Amino acid sequence: MADALRIKLTGRGILVLVFGFLYLPIAVLVLLSFNESGLPTSWSGFSLRWYVSLAGNSDILHAAWNTLVVAVVATLIATVLGTMLAIGMETRKRRSTPLEALAFSPMVIPDIVLAVALLTLFSRLNVTMGLHTIIISHVIFDLAFVCSVVRARLKNFDFSIVEASRDLGASSFTTFWRVTFPVLLPAIVAGALLAFTLSVDEFIIAFFTAGAGRASITLPMQIYSMIRFGVTPEINALATLVMGVSATVLLISQWLNKEQMTR
């Protein structure tokens, strides 16, 4: 009995240490974003002044708008293409391991390698870089994640209902829209939310494919440019907002994924 209690307490202690190691720096960052003082490490009282300051910063608002445009457009394109890829791969009569490895390679290739490869491609094609090249790059990056989420749902999909629909005279489009799509919708939405989160947070690929100038700068790039001159409560506030949006979207994605897995 004593040994079991000791093991249980040890396990809980390790769990607390692990979660503390992971989330204590984030908690400190969030706390200091409400600091009245302009010093990043000296607490002098609670204040929302740095969040108010963000609302009046034109550079940050411009970067936020660019981030939203890139994330929304890249998510829409990646969701359509990723869903089509998942359906195509799952309905193949013969599985191809090289094809699957190729489809999911953007998930495992280091971001810096993918960023350099995309930069080289755009340079060789003489493409003027800007928001459009960031969007293309994020589509390539996000597509594999959408495909993996949708394909996980297809693993439990009963394709006999598709055959039954076709036997009853429904067209391919009607079968997809009335039979397949409603079943896949939670996974598609979950994949889209995951892609949106990844696109909002992504820095390395955007940094390499944005081109010169500030016209196509995104929020992660803006944070990087600000932090080179030192960490301020304004940066803490901006990072807290970005993290809050990403965490909210990710939690919704996980909830939808859990819901569709229980059906």
Side-chain angles (χ1 to χ4, degrees):
M1 185 69 178
D3 290 340
L5 180 60
R6 189 181 301 111
I7 293 174
K8 185 176 181 180
L9 291 176
T10 302
R12 289 184 176 180
I14 293 174
L15 186 64
V16 169
L17 289 175
V18 170
F19 276 96
F21 177 77
L22 289 175
Y23 295 108
L24 185 60
I26 297 176
V28 171
L29 180 144
V30 173
L31 178 64
L32 291 177
S33 71
F34 297 99
N35 188 11
E36 172 69 26
S37 172
L39 298 175
T41 57
S42 176
W43 180 264
S44 62
F46 181 87
S47 174
L48 295 174
R49 61 177 291 197
W50 304 111
Y51 290 92
V52 176
S53 175
L54 290 179
N57 191 316
S58 59
D59 290 337
I60 291 176
L61 294 178
H62 177 70
W65 173 253
N66 284 345
T67 300
L68 184 62
V69 170
V70 169
V72 170
V73 176
T75 297
L76 291 175
I77 299 174
T79 300
V80 173
L81 296 180
T83 301
M84 293 171 61
L85 178 61
I87 295 174
M89 292 178 63
E90 196 62 30
T91 54
R92 281 173 56 92
K93 293 183 178 180
R94 296 182 60 183
R95 298 294 173 86
S96 174
T97 302
L99 177 62
E100 295 188 6
L102 187 64
F104 297 116
S105 59
M107 298 175 63
V108 295
I109 294 177
D111 287 355
I112 187 67
V113 175
L114 185 59
V116 172
L118 290 167
L119 174 61
T120 304
L121 175 64
F122 293 139
S123 299
R124 295 288 295 177
L125 296 177
N126 294 320
V127 177
T128 302
M129 288 188 285
L131 284 183
H132 58 287
T133 51
I134 299 178
I135 290 172
I136 294 172
S137 303
H138 279 197
V139 168
I140 295 172
F141 176 72
D142 291 339
L143 192 151
F145 290 92
V146 176
C147 179
S148 65
V149 174
V150 176
R151 197 175 178 201
R153 181 67 182 96
L154 283 169
K155 291 289 185 182
N156 299 320
F157 183 71
D158 184 7
F159 284 96
S160 64
I161 61 177
V162 174
E163 297 175 2
S165 176
R166 296 300 301 275
D167 291 340
L168 292 173
S171 64
S172 299
F173 176 79
T174 302
T175 298
F176 173 79
W177 187 250
R178 302 291 296 274
V179 177
T180 309
F181 182 73
V183 176
L184 296 182
L185 183 58
I188 293 173
V189 174
L193 292 175
L194 178 60
F196 181 85
T197 303
L198 293 171
S199 187
V200 167
D201 290 342
E202 206 285 317
F203 166 73
I204 297 177
I205 296 175
F207 183 78
F208 274 76
T209 58
R214 301 184 62 82
S216 55
I217 193 171
T218 61
L219 266 181
M221 296 168 62
Q222 178 68 27
I223 293 175
Y224 174 74
S225 66
M226 293 169 64
I227 207 170
R228 287 185 299 171
F229 303 101
V231 179
T232 65
E234 190 175 35
I235 295 177
N236 292 336
L238 180 57
T240 299
L241 289 176
V242 174
M243 181 182 62
V245 171
S246 300
T248 301
V249 174
L250 189 59
L251 287 173
I252 295 173
S253 173
Q254 291 295 321
W255 177 76
L256 289 173
N257 220 8
K258 182 179 178 181
E259 285 294 310
Q260 63 97 9
M261 289 299 291
T262 57
R263 294 180 180 180

